Amino acid sequence: MMLHIPQVLNPEQLAECRRIIDAGDWSDGNATSGFQAAMAKNNLQLPHASEASRAAGHIIRRALDASLLFTSAALPRTVLPPLFNRYGVGQTFGGHIDNSIRANPEGGVLRADLSATLFLSEPGDYDGGELMVEDTYGAHSVKLSAGDLILYPASSLHQVTPITRGERVAAFFWIQSYVRGVEQRALLFDMDLAIQRLAQAAGQSDPSIISLTGAYHNLLRMWAEV
Ligand code: NI
C-alpha cells in the first residue's frame, strides 16, 4: 500500500524546517547506505547527529504524532529520527532496496516496515527527482507538494530519478509498525477509516459503531507486536 498524506507540515512548520536545515552542514549521502545502495547513491545528506537534523526532525515527529491518517495507516511503534537529503542537478539515487534492520540512533535496533518521504521542496522548484516506487501493482512515480508525505512498504524497490533543474530537498525515515503484515495493516486502516466515516454519520454512541470499534481493537490486539 502506498499512501499520500497531504500537509503533514503546515506552511509555518515547513518554513521552520527549511530554515533550520538550509543552514545545516551537509555532507556526502553515502554515510547511511549499505554497500550496494552506496554504489547507486549521489546526493547530500545532513548528519543525523547534527543539531539541524535533530531540531528539524523534532518538528516532523511532532507533526506525525498529530496526524490521524499517519497513525491509522502506519500504526507506528517506533519512528526513526528523520534524515534529510538534497539533490542538485545531475544527482540521483538509482534503484535499490533499503536495509531491513536499522540501528536506532536513540538506542536499539528497528525492523523497517514502512519507508516515508516528506517532500520539503515544491514540485515547481525542480525537474526530475521523482521518487519511483515499485510494488506488486507496478511502478509509481511520486512528486508531491512541499509538506506532503508518501508512505510505502520498506521492502519496495525504489529510486530517485536524476535532477535536471533546480534542487530537491526531502526528509526520509523508517517506521516499525505494531503490525508487521502489510495485508493486516491495510485491513485495519480501511476498517478504521470506515468506522470514522460511519461515526460522523451515526454518532460515536451508535451501537453498531461501538461493536465495529470493538472488532477493530480485537484484530489489533491479535496482530500487534508489543
Ligand atoms: Ni532508499
Side-chain angles (χ1 to χ4, degrees):
M1 177 181 68
M2 290 186 69
L3 182 70
H4 170 193
I5 306 180
Q7 296 178 347
V8 166
L9 296 184
N10 65 34
E12 293 75 34
Q13 292 167 320
L14 173 64
E16 181 67 0
C17 266
R18 281 302 302 260
R19 190 188 64 72
I20 293 168
I21 63 172
D22 287 352
D25 193 10
W26 295 79
S27 58
D28 188 317
N30 279 323
T32 58
S33 307
F35 172 70
Q36 283 187 313
M39 294 193 296
K41 190 175 188 180
N42 173 19
N43 66 6
L44 293 177
Q45 201 162 296
L46 267 187
H48 68 67
S50 70
E51 178 56 27
S53 188
R54 195 200 58 73
H58 184 67
I59 294 172
I60 291 170
R61 289 207 279 182
R62 274 182 37 206
L64 292 172
D65 286 345
S67 169
L68 297 180
L69 206 50
F70 174 78
T71 302
S72 177
L75 296 168
R77 180 176 182 180
T78 309
V79 177
L80 277 190
L83 293 164
F84 299 87
N85 59 21
R86 181 180 287 269
Y87 295 82
V89 171
Q91 293 194 306
T92 182
F93 195 169
H96 67 280
I97 292 171
D98 295 340
N99 290 345
S100 51
I101 306 289
R102 310 198 74 97
N104 184 347
E106 295 171 344
V109 291
L110 162 150
R111 183 192 65 231
D113 293 318
L114 291 157
S115 295
T117 295
L118 176 63
F119 288 75
L120 298 173
S121 294
E122 292 296 352
D125 290 348
Y126 59 99
D127 291 330
E130 285 93 0
L131 173 67
M132 301 280 296
V133 181
E134 285 186 33
D135 65 11
T136 47
Y137 299 102
H140 307 269
S141 171
V142 183
K143 190 173 192 175
L144 304 177
S145 298
D148 287 15
L149 181 123
I150 188 84
L151 198 59
Y152 60 97
S155 56
S156 310
L157 174 65
H158 59 282
Q159 61 174 296
V160 176
T161 64
I163 309 288
T164 56
R165 178 188 65 86
E167 187 179 62
R168 174 198 196 269
V169 179
F172 62 103
F173 52 93
W174 293 273
I175 300 127
Q176 180 168 337
S177 177
Y178 281 113
V179 175
R180 176 181 186 161
V182 176
E183 288 167 358
Q184 286 89 340
R185 210 184 307 122
L187 185 150
L188 287 167
F189 181 50
D190 286 346
M191 198 172 169
D192 190 30
L193 290 185
I195 290 169
Q196 297 311 321
R197 276 197 300 272
L198 285 171
Q200 282 186 355
Q204 292 283 358
S205 56
D206 182 277
S208 300
I209 307 293
I210 292 171
S211 161
L212 281 170
T213 303
Y216 170 88
H217 282 289
N218 281 334
L219 287 172
L220 185 53
R221 203 170 282 119
M222 187 160 65
W223 290 331
E225 300 169 9
V226 294

